[in-house]
Amino acid sequence: MKLTIIHPAVYVIYYLLLVILAFLYNDPYYMISFLICVSALIMLQGISREFKNVIQFFIPMSLLIIILNPLVAQVGTTRIYVLGSYFITLEALVYGILMSLSLLIILLLFASYNRAVSYQEMLYLFSKRFPHISMIIVMALRFIPLLSYRLTEVNKISRFNQENQGNQKIESRVDKIKKTAQMLAVVVSWSLEESMLTAKSMKARGYGIMKRTSYLSYKLRKIDYLFILVISATTLICTMGLANGFGRIEIYPTLHFSVHESMFNPYYFSFLILLLPLIYLEFKERLIWH
Amino acid sequence: MDYLTLGSWIVAFIVMIGVILAFFRIFEKSKPRVEHLVLIAILVAISILGSLPTAAIPGVQAASFIIIMTGIVFGRETGFITGVLTPLVLGLFLGLGYWTILQMIGWGLMGLTAGIFRVKLGENSYIRAGFGFAWGFFYGWITNISMLLFLSSVTLTSVLGVYIASAPFDLLHGVTNAVLLILFFGLFERIFKRIRDRYINSPDGEAKSLNKQ
C-alpha cells in the first residue's frame, strides 16, 4: 500500500531519463553518486532477491566488456605491454571499467523500475492506445499458470498409466524425450481447443462492441505535476552541463582526470536533485509505516 | 568516442521502439477477430512455457521452435505478433530491460521470415532444419547489440569479438531449433493446422460480424 500515488506514466518517463543519463555520463564522481543513490533506492524498495539476479547477470557481461574493450580498441596513448610487443592501452581499460559501471547502474535501474511499476499499471498505460494488444498480454499472463497446471495433470495421468502397465524399466533417453514431447503436444492441443471455446464465450458476452475500459484508473494530480516540473528542470540543467562537458571525462586519446577538480558546480547539484525524489518518497513511506 | 556514437545508439533504440509501436498500431487498425486474439495469446503462453524452465541457460530456447511453427502454419502476421509479444510477456515475469526490445525484434523477425518462406519450409525438412539453425545465430547476433552498446568503438574487430564470445550459445540455440524442427514438426503441424482450418479460416458468417463494426 502506497501513500503517495504517482501516475505510472510519470514513473516511466523518470526511469527512461535516468537510463539515458546513466548511459551518457562517464565521470567517476557522477557514476559513483548515481550508483549510491540507485542502491539506496533499491534497498528502500526492499528487493534483495532481484539484486542477486542482477549481479548474476552483471558479472559475466562486465567481465566481457572489461576484457574485450582493450583487445579491440587500440586507441590511446598510454601503452601497457602485455606480451612482448603486444600492447593494450590504459585508456581502453578505464573505458571498459567505466562502461561496466554504467551497465550495472542501468541493470539496477531496471530492477527498481520493475518493482516500482507493476504490470497492471503498465498495461493501463498500454490499453488506451493498444486495447487488443494489451488484451492479448493479459490473456497470455493468465494462460501461463493454466498451461503449467494442465501439464502437471497430463503428467500425473501418464505416470499412472506407466505404473499400471509395469514396464517402466526398459526406457531409453530417446523414449523419454519423445514422451515429453507427446505430453506437451497433448497440452497444446487441449489448450488450443479450450481457447477457441474462450473466444466463443468472449464473443457471446460482447467483447469488442464497446470501448475497452481499465480496472485501474489514474489522474494526473498536483504531486505528478510537481514531480514532472522537478525532473524536467533538473534534466534540462544536466543536459546543458553535459553539453559543456560536465559529467564526462575525456578518455580518448589521453586520459584527463584530476582528483581535485571542483565538483561543486550547479550541474552536479541538479543531478543530485534529479536522483532524489523517489528516494525521498520511499523514505517518507518507511517513516510513516514503521 | 563521443556524443555522436552515444546519441546514435539512443536514436537507434527510439527508432526500434517506434517501429514496434507502429506495427502494433497496424495490428489494432486491422480489427482482429476474437479467435485471432485468443489464438495469439495461447501461442505466446505456450512459447513462454517452453522457455521459462530453461531461462537460466542462454542457448536453449524452445520458444523459437513454437514461433517458427506459428509463422509456418498461421502466416507471417501471426508469426510476427507472437514473436514480438513473447519477450514482452516473458519480461513481465523475469524483469524488463532494454534487451527486451532487441529480443522483440529478433523473435518478431524470426516469425515474420518463417511466415514469408512458409511454403518451402513446410515441404522440405532439410531447408527447415537449416532455417532453424541459421536463426539460432541471427537471433544471437541481434541480441548481441546489447553488448556492443558498451564497447568504445563499433569496428569489425569489436563486432567479431562479441560474436565469437556468444558463438557457443548461438550454436546451442541453432542445434536445439534444428533438432526440434526435424523431430516434432509433423506432430505440432497437425495440431496447429487443425485449429487453423477449424476456427481461424472457417467460412463462419457469424465470426465475421465483429469485423464489420
Side-chain angles (χ1 to χ4, degrees):
Chain A
M1 186 64 207
K2 276 184 181 170
L3 286 177
T4 323
I5 299 164
I6 289 177
H7 197 281
V10 180
Y11 270 123
V12 172
I13 294 168
Y14 181 63
Y15 277 101
L16 205 65
L17 281 177
L18 285 188
V19 167
I20 291 175
L21 282 179
F23 188 54
L24 287 176
Y25 279 123
N26 73 355
D27 190 318
Y29 283 129
Y30 282 76
M31 302 295 270
I32 286 166
S33 30
F34 208 149
L35 189 61
I36 290 169
C37 286
V38 174
S39 308
L41 179 60
I42 281 187
M43 285 217 295
L44 285 172
Q45 282 173 330
I47 34 176
S48 49
R49 196 171 58 81
E50 277 95 338
F51 194 76
K52 224 182 274 170
N53 282 345
V54 165
I55 295 298
Q56 263 177 13
F57 189 66
F58 166 70
I59 287 171
M61 267 181 92
S62 70
L63 277 181
L64 195 64
I65 290 172
I66 292 173
I67 293 170
L68 217 59
N69 205 48
L71 289 183
V72 299
Q74 293 196 324
V75 276
T77 47
T78 323
R79 293 180 176 188
I80 306 170
Y81 287 91
V82 188
L83 271 176
S85 64
Y86 187 77
F87 67 91
I88 58 174
T89 63
L90 177 69
E91 282 80 10
L93 199 64
V94 170
Y95 188 89
I97 292 169
L98 286 176
M99 264 313 193
S100 70
L101 200 61
S102 143
L103 173 71
L104 178 63
I105 292 169
I106 290 176
L107 291 178
L108 291 177
L109 277 175
F110 275 115
S112 157
Y113 168 81
N114 287 324
R115 176 71 179 201
V117 186
S118 70
Y119 75 85
Q120 284 110 332
E121 288 168 342
M122 247 173 344
L123 287 174
Y124 161 75
L125 288 180
F126 222 61
S127 65
K128 268 186 191 158
R129 302 297 309 265
F130 306 101
H132 291 313
I133 297 276
S134 69
M135 188 68 201
I136 292 175
I137 293 172
V138 170
M139 278 195 286
L141 283 171
R142 195 270 170 275
F143 281 145
I144 292 164
L146 187 70
L147 285 177
S148 84
Y149 164 74
R150 282 174 183 166
L151 195 61
T152 54
E153 289 293 297
V154 172
N155 200 0
K156 267 185 212 161
I157 291 170
S158 115
R159 221 180 306 152
F160 177 76
N161 281 345
Q162 209 176 26
E163 274 169 21
N164 270 7
Q165 284 160 6
N167 57 351
Q168 67 266 50
K169 276 169 192 95
I170 35 162
E171 217 181 67
S172 64
R173 183 165 269 180
V174 180
D175 280 340
K176 231 175 199 172
I177 292 172
K178 270 191 179 157
K179 195 163 251 171
T180 315
Q182 200 73 43
M183 257 161 35
L184 268 177
V186 170
V187 173
V188 167
S189 63
W190 179 10
S191 309
L192 280 170
E193 289 286 332
E194 289 277 313
S195 74
M196 289 303 121
L197 285 183
T198 311
K200 284 232 158 74
S201 163
M202 280 167 69
K203 222 186 312 175
R205 290 162 203 225
Y207 173 82
I209 292 173
M210 296 283 280
K211 218 179 137 204
R212 209 165 115 72
T213 53
S214 178
Y215 167 68
L216 297 168
S217 82
Y218 291 92
K219 256 186 250 163
L220 278 173
R221 292 178 309 167
K222 215 164 82 185
I223 182 138
D224 296 316
Y225 289 115
L226 199 68
F227 201 108
I228 292 174
L229 195 72
V230 169
I231 62 171
S232 52
T234 47
T235 311
L236 201 68
I237 298 171
C238 284
T239 322
M240 272 156 53
L242 270 172
N244 291 327
F246 290 95
R248 282 191 68 82
I249 55 169
E250 202 174 301
I251 294 180
Y252 296 122
T254 317
L255 189 64
H256 277 294
F257 179 65
S258 58
V259 187
H260 300 293
E261 214 173 306
S262 143
M263 291 309 298
F264 300 100
N265 53 50
Y267 303 118
Y268 184 66
F269 285 121
S270 72
F271 174 62
L272 285 185
I273 292 169
L274 175 65
L275 293 176
L276 287 178
L278 276 191
I279 297 176
Y280 166 72
L281 286 179
E282 290 284 339
F283 196 66
K284 202 174 91 181
E285 229 141 273
R286 273 286 161 103
L287 281 185
I288 291 169
W289 285 110
H290 300 289
Chain B
M1 189 55 221
D2 52 345
Y3 288 124
L4 202 67
T5 326
L6 293 174
S8 53
W9 278 121
I10 291 170
V11 169
F13 265 81
I14 290 169
V15 167
M16 278 187 230
I17 296 172
V19 167
I20 291 171
L21 289 183
F23 272 109
F24 282 176
R25 259 339 282 163
I26 292 171
F27 181 74
E28 295 286 338
K29 281 271 153 58
S30 73
K31 298 227 165 132
R33 286 168 48 195
V34 181
E35 277 93 345
H36 206 161
L37 296 181
V38 182
L39 177 80
I40 292 170
I42 201 98
L43 288 170
V44 169
I46 291 167
S47 60
I48 285 171
L49 196 73
S51 66
L52 264 184
T54 59
I57 316 164
V60 183
Q61 265 145 351
S64 306
F65 168 65
I66 302 288
I67 289 164
I68 292 174
M69 288 299 306
T70 308
I72 294 173
V73 177
F74 294 106
R76 53 186 174 207
E77 282 150 39
T78 314
F80 181 77
I81 292 284
T82 309
V84 168
L85 289 180
T86 299
L88 194 63
V89 180
L90 197 64
L92 294 177
F93 264 86
L94 301 178
L96 288 168
Y98 65 95
W99 54 88
T100 309
I101 300 164
L102 295 166
Q103 287 178 335
M104 285 165 91
I105 301 261
W107 265 329
L109 286 178
M110 192 188 285
L112 185 73
T113 47
I116 290 171
F117 303 114
R118 59 193 289 190
V119 181
K120 270 192 188 146
L121 289 172
E123 281 168 358
N124 192 330
S125 69
Y126 292 108
I127 293 178
R128 204 159 57 226
F131 181 83
F133 187 73
W135 259 109
F137 282 91
F138 291 153
Y139 176 79
W141 292 346
I142 291 170
T143 46
N144 275 345
I145 294 172
S146 67
M147 285 294 303
L148 286 179
L149 278 178
F150 295 97
L151 292 180
S152 54
S153 55
V154 183
T155 55
L156 193 64
T157 42
S158 69
V159 171
L160 272 180
V162 171
Y163 285 6
I164 287 169
S166 84
F169 301 117
D170 298 342
L171 187 70
L172 197 61
H173 187 188
V175 169
T176 316
N177 272 352
V179 168
L180 287 175
L181 278 172
I182 288 172
L183 286 182
F184 305 121
F185 176 78
L187 184 64
F188 279 82
E189 191 197 24
R190 211 180 63 221
I191 297 167
F192 282 10
K193 266 198 173 149
R194 179 185 143 79
I195 295 297
R196 183 190 72 186
D197 297 338
R198 204 171 150 194
Y199 296 105
I200 305 298
N201 288 347
S202 64
D204 194 351
E206 183 191 281
K208 296 220 165 82
S209 63
L210 192 75
N211 271 344
K212 284 170 192 159
Q213 285 169 4

